[in-house]
Amino acid sequence: MKILKFGGKSLSNGDGINKVVAIIANKINHGEKIAVVVSARGNATDELEEILGVAAKNGNYKALLETFKTEQKGDYPDVDLSEEFEALDKLFEGVSLIGDYSNKIKDQILSKGELLSAKLLSAILIKNSINARFTDSRELIKTDSKFGDAQPLEQVSKKNVVQYFKLHSDTVNIITGFIGSNNNNDATTLGRNGSNYTASLIANYLDAEELQNYTHVDGIYTANPELVPDAKKIDRLSFNEANEIANFGATILHAKTIIPLLEKNIPLRILNTFNHENQGTLITSKSNKEGIKTLSVLENVALVN
C-alpha cells in the first residue's frame, strides 16, 4: 500500500482539487492500493485562526465565517458540510460571548479544516464512481492532552489504525491529517507540520511501501528557489540529509515526520500535484552521492556567542 498526502494548496478550489481527484483516479485505474491523508484546504487553518482572533475581541466574525464557508464549499455546494459549519457557529459564538478561548477550544475549531477537506474530497470521489470513505483520524490517532501540540500514544493508535484498515481494506480511505483525540475524545492537534506527521505515522503503522507527499513544488532543491533562481531539483536524498535540511529551515520537511519513516525504512517521495510528469525527490535510507546537496537558510536568527 502507498500513502498519499495532499497539502492545502493542492486541495484548493479549482485546478488544485481537480488535479487531486485525477491523481487518485489514475492510481485506482492502475490497480494501486492507496490511502489518502489530507490537510485543510487552501489557507483554511490560518483563516479559522484569524476568525477566532476577531471573535475573541467581540468583532464582526460572522462575515468572515460566511466567506470561509463559501470558500470551503467551492464548486460543490450540494456536498453536505452542515455538521462542521454548525459546530463552528456554536464555537465562535461562545468565544465571542466570553471574549476568550482555551487551547482546547482552539483545537476544536482548527480541527474543522481537515474534517471539511476530507468530507468534501470523499464526496467528490464517490461522485466520480470511486469507492472512497471519509475517515476521521480522531477515532484512530489517540494522543495526550497537550492541546496545540499533542503527542500520539503509539500502541493504541497503531492498534486502532491496523484494525480500521482490516475492516475497510476494499475502499480508498480519505483520512484527516493534523488531528487526533485524547482519552476523553476531545479533539487535539499535532502541532506544526501535523498532517505530514499523520501521514508518516499511518505509513509506519501499516508498513506502507512508500509515502508520497504531494505539494505545490517539484521536490527539494539545492537552495530555496524563491531566493536562488537557478536552484536545481535534487533527485535523491538520504533520511539523514533530509533531517539536516529540516533542522535548518526547510518547511517541507520536519524531523518528527521523518522518524516514523526511518523506523520502518519507508521511502518518502516529494511530488508536485500540478506537474504529473515530474518524479519529485525520493528520500530513502541511502544517499546516491557524496558532497554538498543543498543550502538551507534560517531567517531572522541571531547567534550570541
Side-chain angles (χ1 to χ4, degrees):
M1 175 182 275
K2 289 178 182 170
I3 307 298
L4 278 57
K5 152 67 181 40
F6 290 100
K9 286 185 180 167
S10 298
L11 291 155
S12 56
N13 285 330
D15 193 32
I17 199 148
N18 294 336
K19 286 269 198 312
V20 169
V21 171
I23 289 165
I24 293 169
N26 185 46
K27 288 188 180 289
I28 297 299
N29 293 338
H30 282 88
E32 289 191 51
K33 199 156 178 53
I34 60 169
V36 177
V37 175
V38 295
S39 294
R41 298 175 62 230
N43 297 312
T45 307
D46 290 341
E47 286 164 11
L48 286 169
E49 205 157 353
E50 184 193 347
I51 298 165
L52 182 58
V54 173
K57 289 175 182 162
N58 204 16
N60 181 19
Y61 71 88
K62 287 186 179 177
L64 292 171
L65 184 53
E66 288 312 311
T67 303
F68 172 82
K69 289 177 185 177
T70 304
E71 277 175 10
Q72 287 302 304
K73 285 208 161 195
D75 300 324
Y76 304 93
D78 51 333
V79 175
D80 183 15
L81 303 174
S82 58
E83 187 184 338
E84 279 65 42
F85 289 160
E86 284 166 16
L88 285 171
D89 287 340
K90 285 178 185 166
L91 286 162
F92 283 126
E93 189 180 354
V95 169
S96 181
L97 285 168
I98 296 165
D100 199 3
Y101 58 87
S102 62
N103 285 334
K104 179 177 170 181
I105 293 292
K106 185 177 180 180
D107 272 8
Q108 279 186 52
I109 287 168
L110 296 187
S111 71
K112 300 295 183 266
E114 272 69 16
L115 290 162
L116 289 164
S117 181
K119 279 196 173 177
L120 186 82
L121 181 58
S122 306
I124 297 168
L125 290 169
I126 290 164
K127 271 191 173 175
N128 282 271
S129 305
I130 292 167
N131 184 17
R133 181 184 179 86
F134 164 71
T135 302
D136 187 345
S137 60
R138 292 176 301 179
E139 294 169 13
L140 305 179
I141 308 291
K142 302 306 283 187
T143 72
D144 61 17
S145 294
K146 191 181 176 192
F147 297 105
D149 191 16
Q151 298 304 306
L153 306 174
E154 289 280 331
Q155 285 180 314
V156 66
S157 297
K158 181 177 180 177
K159 186 180 168 193
N160 289 345
V161 169
V162 170
Q163 281 182 342
Y164 184 88
F165 273 80
K166 269 185 189 164
L167 286 172
H168 306 294
S169 59
D170 59 338
T171 181
V172 182
N173 292 299
I174 310 297
I175 308 156
T176 52
F178 181 57
I179 63 176
S181 68
N182 64 10
N183 287 331
N184 296 327
N185 294 323
D186 300 316
T188 57
T189 62
L190 304 180
R192 185 183 159 216
N193 225 256
S195 290
N196 289 338
Y197 189 30
T198 303
S200 66
L201 287 172
I202 286 175
N204 177 303
Y205 300 156
L206 297 174
D207 296 315
E209 61 179 280
E210 189 171 276
L211 169 55
Q212 298 183 346
N213 190 342
Y214 284 85
T215 65
H216 59 288
V217 293
D218 284 343
I220 295 171
Y221 282 75
T222 50
N224 184 343
E226 290 172 11
L227 303 175
V228 183
D230 61 348
K232 304 284 188 291
K233 183 174 72 72
I234 304 165
D235 292 328
R236 274 189 91 125
L237 277 174
S238 71
F239 279 117
N240 283 343
E241 289 164 340
N243 202 20
E244 284 294 309
I245 297 167
N247 286 329
F248 287 96
T251 52
I252 205 165
L253 297 165
H254 196 283
K256 72 180 182 185
T257 301
I258 293 166
I259 291 162
L261 302 175
L262 194 53
E263 270 179 18
K264 296 279 186 80
N265 202 11
I266 297 165
L268 167 64
R269 196 181 288 275
I270 310 290
L271 291 157
N272 188 346
T273 305
F274 303 94
N275 184 0
H276 279 224
E277 305 307 311
N278 196 288
Q279 291 300 299
T281 298
L282 181 65
I283 303 169
T284 62
S285 53
K286 290 191 179 75
S287 180
N288 66 333
K289 61 180 181 187
E290 297 300 313
I292 294 171
K293 295 283 179 71
T294 180
L295 295 172
S296 195
V297 179
L298 280 173
E299 292 181 13
N300 304 320
V301 174
L303 178 64
V304 179
N305 192 351

